[in-house]
Amino acid sequence: MQAIMLNGFGGPEQFSCVELPTPVPQAGEALLRLRANGVCYHDVLARQGHFPRTRLPGIIGHEMAGEVAALGPAVSGVAVGERVVVMMKDHCGHCRMCIRARDNLCENGAGLFGEAVPGGYAEYVAVPARALVRIPAGVSFEQAAVVPCALGTAYHGLHAVAAVQPGESVLITGASGGVGIHAVQVARMLGARAIAVTTSETKRAFLVEHGADDVIVSPDLDFAAEARRLTGGDGVDVVFNIVGQLAWAASLKSMALAARHVFVGNLNAAPVSLRPAHAILKEMYFLGTDGVTRAEVESLLELVRLGRLRPVVGGTLPLAEAARAHTLMES
């Protein structure tokens, strides 16, 4: 099979196109013929060397969709030829987190595909069959590939973690990115007011097109005054912070009484500071979110089929042009 190998940490030139033996599925595994693999900004950070679990040389990529090509021994519940999407993380199904239907926090699984185990920058991949979810008719491979990561992270963080309610206001930092643009859609679907923060005026129309009720253009991420103005001085009910520490100071100033702040990402890996009195006097909540559950992916695929949510795909490239995809992502 053809695969894109990450040979070292650095720029897109670290990728090379190689020929490898097609994997043979082992017990409990399915061989997937990949039809689409999303390029996530996490992939860019992995290529640059920010994650210690990224194996070198290795095959990255965790937004995978395709067809089941073969089954290993002791596999049930999936058949050759079925269209499936892969959960972005492996899960064991029997640890205390999996039993509580919080399989996104599995204690025993192999973790994110494309790190310690091979990912989707290849023609084929062998994965545990438990990680597969059927794609409904009418949902394309490209759409499905986006669901577990970009759309799933937004949905889990806003619905399960932040518990967004109709009529609330949700401020989304990094709103024009992969998770951000889907968070705008999810917030609207949940009945909330979506306030999108971006650093570039050129992205305003894109955000409005995908459902943002308000757009704050803030190149220096000093958006608190405008967020408060838009909410009549009250502040926002939820901050969905994809940027992390860089947007922390303004996010804190933007929060209303009893507001929730959800950490989704942290682009510069820097810590934040918080005075406990600030949280105590306003009864604020500070939360983290990580991934999506299998049940949520099943629900999201159905919502996509029904047209309630629309995965945003910026474009497609052949496998051999993975390096170019990274260059486009970074620009």
Side-chain angles (χ1 to χ4, degrees), residues 59-82:
I59 302 171
I60 66 170
H62 58 274
E63 298 186 358
M64 300 180 276
E67 300 161 335
V68 177
L71 298 173
V75 173
S76 60
V78 64
V80 171
E82 285 190 310

Side-chain angles (χ1 to χ4, degrees), residues 23-262:
V24 176
Q26 304 302 302
E29 291 186 336
L31 179 67
L32 193 66
R33 182 182 182 185
L34 290 162
R35 296 294 194 180
N37 184 93
V39 178
C40 171
Y41 202 79
H42 184 102
D43 296 355
V44 172
L45 296 175
R47 190 205 73 224
Q48 292 172 345
H50 293 284
F51 305 121
R53 286 171 58 88
T54 304
R55 181 174 293 177
L56 292 178
I59 302 171
I60 66 170
H62 58 274
E63 298 186 358
M64 300 180 276
E67 300 161 335
V68 177
L71 298 173
V75 173
S76 60
V78 64
V80 171
E82 285 190 310
R83 301 167 69 247
V84 293
V85 66
V86 184
M87 298 292 297
M88 61 176 165
K89 289 183 178 181
D90 180 32
H91 63 284
C92 71
H94 53 74
C95 69
R96 63 192 182 105
M97 288 290 102
C98 286
I99 290 171
R100 296 174 187 175
R102 301 189 70 176
D103 46 271
N104 61 308
L105 300 177
C106 176
E107 299 168 313
N108 300 322
L112 190 77
F113 289 105
E115 290 192 339
V117 293
Y121 285 30
E123 290 183 300
Y124 290 89
V125 66
V127 298
R130 61 179 176 253
L132 301 179
V133 180
R134 290 184 184 85
I135 301 173
V139 178
S140 70
F141 288 119
E142 291 82 3
Q143 290 175 315
V146 172
V147 169
C149 181
L151 183 52
T153 299
Y155 182 79
H156 180 77
L158 289 172
H159 183 254
V161 176
V164 170
Q165 301 298 308
E168 291 190 316
S169 55
V170 177
L171 183 142
I172 302 157
T173 69
S176 60
V179 174
I181 200 63
H182 293 95
V184 168
Q185 289 191 55
V186 171
R188 285 287 299 271
M189 186 187 72
L190 296 174
R193 177 184 183 182
I195 302 174
V197 177
T198 181
T199 57
S200 173
E201 179 64 37
T202 62
K203 297 175 181 177
R204 182 188 294 275
F206 174 70
L207 289 162
V208 171
E209 176 191 351
H210 288 91
D213 293 290
D214 302 283
V215 177
I216 300 175
V217 178
S218 181
D220 56 0
L221 292 176
D222 185 15
F223 51 80
E226 182 63 7
R228 287 198 164 274
R229 185 190 71 79
L230 289 171
T231 54
D234 294 332
V236 299
D237 300 299
V238 174
V239 174
F240 198 64
N241 190 355
I242 300 168
V243 174
Q245 184 269 342
L246 294 170
W248 168 250
S251 294
L252 193 60
K253 294 175 185 177
S254 300
M255 294 171 67
L257 294 171
R260 290 92 74 199
H261 179 289
V262 182

Side-chain angles (χ1 to χ4, degrees), residues 4-9 13-18 55-58:
I4 302 299
M5 188 70 71
L6 178 63
N7 300 296
F9 296 131
E13 71 280 356
Q14 294 293 339
F15 287 126
S16 64
C17 188
V18 299
R55 181 174 293 177
L56 292 178

